Amino acid sequence: MPAADHLTSARGSVKSAPSTESGSSTATSPRRTAMAVVAGSQISYIGQDIEEIPASLGEQYGGLARRLDISFNQLKSLAGLKAFAQLEELVADNNLLGNDLGLPHLPRLRTLTLNKNQITDVAALVEHLHKATPSLEYLSLLGNHACPNELVSLENNEEDYQRYRHFVLHKLNKLKFLDSRQVGERERAEAETRGAFMKVVKPTAEADCDNARNEPVSQQYTPLPKGSQDDKGHKGVFAKCRYAYYGKHSEGNRFICNDQL
């Protein structure tokens, strides 16, 4: 058997995924053969630069895999995991996954890591995971904008992160670990009572500028009286002040005697 077809290492056997076209060979195919590392029921498909999970991977390893690592690719969807119904652990770090994961129903999945992706909407994510992964116990979202910790932005603080944890735990109440921290009983109890109201929402600077531009001029705040707001027919406004100020007690006059005023 050629070495390219079957290589053994300390991590396990390395096998080439079967070709999707009949009669094709390595000499005629312009694409390089993708390699999967197999060690028992653990499948590793790292760094293949794929944008979607190939059907051949599920056909060959779907019934076997209990742990699948598809990190360091260009994945934007996990819809290709339909064949991995027995999967218990999924590592999909460092991809291009957004809010629409497309994760199929995986009833046995207990561990899911989605670190360093492009997920921004934590509410949509936990709603999707609640339906697709009913047995989930370990979840990590570090490095996504949906996870407001200091890895994403220095503007985030511990209070924002704790609110995020309560919100996630309220929906995914079977979690034992969230990100890198174990879920305590006190934290879980607080998440059950207050988690639904703990969603962290911060307006962006762009949104503020857009709102200011779109707001009608007449509705914009101004400290000037109404009579002086007209640019064309500007008029001075005079009024009586309720209080008279003599300057005796101002900070600037603290070293001036009364007879010098």
Side-chain angles (χ1 to χ4, degrees):
M1 182 178 294
D5 291 77
H6 187 79
L7 301 175
T8 56
S9 66
R11 296 182 62 185
S13 61
V14 181
K15 299 182 180 180
S16 61
S19 174
T20 54
E21 299 180 3
S22 58
S24 62
S25 63
T26 350
T28 58
S29 174
R31 296 179 300 176
R32 67 183 179 85
T33 306
M35 308 298 286
V37 179
V38 184
S41 61
Q42 301 184 29
I43 313 298
S44 180
Y45 204 69
I46 301 174
Q48 302 296 326
D49 292 328
I50 53 173
E51 296 183 0
E52 60 182 20
I53 299 169
S56 58
L57 191 69
E59 292 169 1
Q60 186 169 1
Y61 303 114
L64 167 70
R66 298 296 180 271
R67 182 186 189 275
L68 176 64
D69 191 343
I70 47 176
S71 302
F72 295 97
N73 283 294
Q74 305 293 320
L75 294 172
K76 297 181 180 180
S77 172
L78 299 176
L81 294 175
K82 290 181 180 178
F84 292 84
Q86 305 301 315
L87 205 61
E88 298 176 2
E89 182 177 351
L90 174 62
V91 181
D93 301 337
N94 291 276
N95 278 283
L96 301 176
L97 297 168
N99 297 324
D100 188 13
L101 282 182
L103 189 68
H105 186 63
L106 299 175
R108 301 185 61 178
L109 192 70
R110 296 173 59 246
T111 301
L112 175 62
T113 69
L114 299 169
N115 300 319
K116 292 189 177 180
N117 277 281
Q118 298 178 359
I119 302 169
T120 58
D121 190 345
V122 67
L125 176 68
V126 296
E127 187 67 32
H128 178 51
L129 295 180
H130 178 69
K131 298 175 181 177
T133 58
S135 302
L136 196 64
E137 296 180 351
Y138 303 85
L139 174 65
S140 185
L141 301 173
L142 293 171
N144 290 279
H145 283 283
C147 175
N149 66 343
E150 294 183 358
L151 289 177
V152 176
S153 173
L154 293 177
E155 295 180 0
N156 298 322
N157 53 46
E158 181 61 26
E159 183 180 352
D160 290 335
Y161 181 65
Q162 191 59 58
R163 286 169 59 88
Y164 145 85
R165 286 181 63 88
H166 286 151
F167 181 78
V168 173
L169 293 173
H170 172 75
K171 196 68 177 178
L172 305 176
N173 50 23
K174 291 184 180 179
L175 288 182
K176 296 180 179 178
F177 267 84
L178 177 56
D179 300 330
S180 58
R181 190 186 303 176
Q182 187 174 5
V183 179
E185 292 302 321
R186 182 176 177 180
E187 184 180 33
R188 189 184 303 279
E190 188 168 356
E192 289 178 1
T193 56
R194 303 173 56 194
F197 312 102
M198 289 290 183
K199 183 179 178 182
V200 179
V201 179
K202 286 188 175 181
T204 61
E206 276 183 36
D208 290 343
C209 291
D210 291 340
N211 291 338
R213 282 194 294 266
N214 296 331
E215 186 179 358
V217 177
S218 60
Q219 295 181 5
Q220 291 182 1
Y221 171 76
T222 172
L224 299 175
K226 290 184 178 180
S228 62
Q229 293 177 17
D230 188 3
D231 294 336
K232 297 179 179 179
H234 176 75
K235 298 178 181 180
V237 177
F238 299 91
K240 291 185 178 180
C241 183
R242 186 174 177 183
Y243 301 100
Y245 174 68
Y246 296 102
K248 289 184 185 179
H249 307 293
S250 68
E251 291 293 325
N253 296 335
R254 68 166 70 185
F255 302 113
I256 302 176
C257 298
N258 291 337
D259 57 357
Q260 296 176 333
L261 292 176

